[in-house]
Amino acid sequence: ERFELSCAAIAAVPNKVMDPLGDYQVQDVKFLGVVKSFDERKGAGEVECSETFQMWSSNVYAHKSVLAACDAGVGDTIRFGIHVSARGQPQASLPIYKVGEDGFPM
């Protein structure tokens, strides 16, 4: 069978912790998205994921070292964690895995 790739959080009950400002942050949730662009000059790329876009209204920033951890490039589907920058922007975090068309890690 072939799995349809969608950008859904993979966790029945995500772990939540309270940050110093009293807001809850989700941890240990993995998202599914596609590397849409990479800028060599900036050393970073963008990951498109509909679920994270609904949460933060922006694509996910991905530093070159995070993408390099699984040899991901433009057009690759990846499963990744998120951390939120001091400016409130989503950033891909380790661990990160490249995902094949069958939905399984490569």
Side-chain angles (χ1 to χ4, degrees):
E1 279 183 61
R2 201 179 138 114
F3 291 93
E4 183 175 323
L5 297 178
S6 65
C7 185
I10 305 302
V13 180
N15 296 322
K16 292 184 178 183
V17 296
M18 189 174 284
D19 69 15
L21 300 175
D23 295 327
Y24 284 96
Q25 295 182 334
V26 177
Q27 294 184 340
D28 298 330
V29 174
K30 300 299 178 229
F31 297 92
L32 189 65
V34 176
V35 179
K36 282 300 182 186
S37 65
F38 186 80
D39 185 328
E40 285 287 340
R41 189 175 48 80
K42 293 181 180 178
E46 283 195 349
V47 178
E48 185 176 78
C49 171
S50 61
E51 188 171 29
T52 58
F53 194 87
Q54 287 177 353
M55 297 169 78
W56 288 284
S57 299
S58 69
N59 285 333
V60 178
Y61 171 90
H63 189 268
K64 66 180 177 181
S65 63
V66 174
L67 294 173
C70 69
D71 196 31
V74 174
D76 288 333
T77 300
I78 56 173
R79 187 165 306 282
F80 57 98
I82 291 280
H83 71 269
V84 180
S85 73
R87 291 192 246 166
Q89 298 170 321
Q91 298 181 352
S93 63
L94 298 174
I96 182 172
Y97 307 95
K98 203 178 328 184
V99 178
E101 289 184 16
D102 60 2
F104 291 101
M106 296 174 63

